[in-house]
Amino acid sequence: MSGNSSDDDPGAMKKALRTVTPPSKMHRNAEMDTIGWAIFAGLLVVALPLLPILVVVWLLTKLFGRAADRAGE
């Protein structure tokens, strides 16, 4: 061997990147953060009025499920 390997060559690529854009460092994206909080707030506005209905439905299914189990015995 001639002693020239890709590890010795400072110009050789170590790992091929399969992208056309250069990698970027992690950073906060305030615009997307704001959009995320807005979506969360909108879901709360929609879901909170439905919460009592969901609780009543859950309680009824528990109640009728126990009644059906006792009737089957």
Side-chain angles (χ1 to χ4, degrees), residues 3-4 10 12 16-20 25 31 34-35 38-39 41 47-49 51 54-55 57-58 62-63 65 71:
N4 290 340
L17 295 176
R18 298 187 59 85
T19 180
V20 294
K25 299 201 186 302
E31 293 86 7
T34 303
I35 290 171
I39 291 172
L48 280 179
L51 189 61
L54 293 174
V55 169
V57 169
W58 179 76
K62 290 292 183 182
L63 177 68

Side-chain angles (χ1 to χ4, degrees), residues 7-73:
D7 294 336
D8 297 333
D9 185 11
M13 263 196 340
K14 296 186 189 241
K15 183 179 175 186
L17 295 176
R18 298 187 59 85
T19 180
V20 294
T21 58
S24 63
K25 299 201 186 302
M26 295 296 293
H27 62 282
R28 288 188 55 96
N29 190 341
E31 293 86 7
M32 289 302 291
D33 195 31
T34 303
I35 290 171
W37 280 110
I39 291 172
F40 176 71
L43 286 173
L44 279 180
V45 167
V46 170
L48 280 179
L50 296 176
L51 189 61
I53 297 169
L54 293 174
V55 169
V56 168
V57 169
W58 179 76
L59 286 174
L60 289 174
T61 57
K62 290 292 183 182
L63 177 68
F64 288 126
R66 287 187 185 160
D69 288 342
R70 289 184 184 168
E73 290 179 0

